[in-house]
Amino acid sequence: MPKFPGQEPCLCRRPADVECFAALCDTSLVHSLYSETVLDHFKNPRNAGDLEGATATVEVSNPVCGDILRLAARVEAGRIVEARFKTQG
């Protein structure tokens, strides 16, 4: 829900009962900071999920906040042919 009259709904897609930082809710600011391509990737993530048959996997975590990132790739003939990511937190 907009915080100020005439303000568009926020892009962070949090539930309506969760408060966002005002800067994130100002869509004109978001559009001035990020290109349409970056915003499109935020709204429509690509290559997310687990990768069956991965030849390389790495997982990193932030012990302070508990975020976890897992990257997986399948390599053939020395080239990455498929990659996926999965995040939590």
Side-chain angles (χ1 to χ4, degrees), residues 5-83:
Q7 184 179 9
E8 295 179 37
C10 86
L11 296 176
C12 67
R13 300 187 290 180
R14 293 182 187 269
D17 61 335
V18 176
E19 184 123 5
C20 298
F21 292 105
L24 290 177
C25 292
D26 183 353
T27 56
S28 62
L29 176 62
V30 169
H31 283 276
S32 69
L33 293 174
Y34 302 105
S35 71
E36 288 302 318
T37 302
V38 170
L39 292 172
D40 181 49
H41 279 264
F42 173 76
K43 294 175 190 175
N44 306 293
R46 281 89 162 162
N47 304 312
D50 292 318
L51 178 60
E52 296 296 324
T55 54
T57 304
V58 63
E59 184 173 298
V60 293
S61 62
N62 183 332
V64 176
C65 66
D67 289 354
I68 300 171
L69 168 66
R70 180 181 303 135
L71 299 172
R74 188 166 46 86
V75 179
E76 295 177 2
R79 297 189 72 142
I80 297 173
V81 294
E82 190 172 7

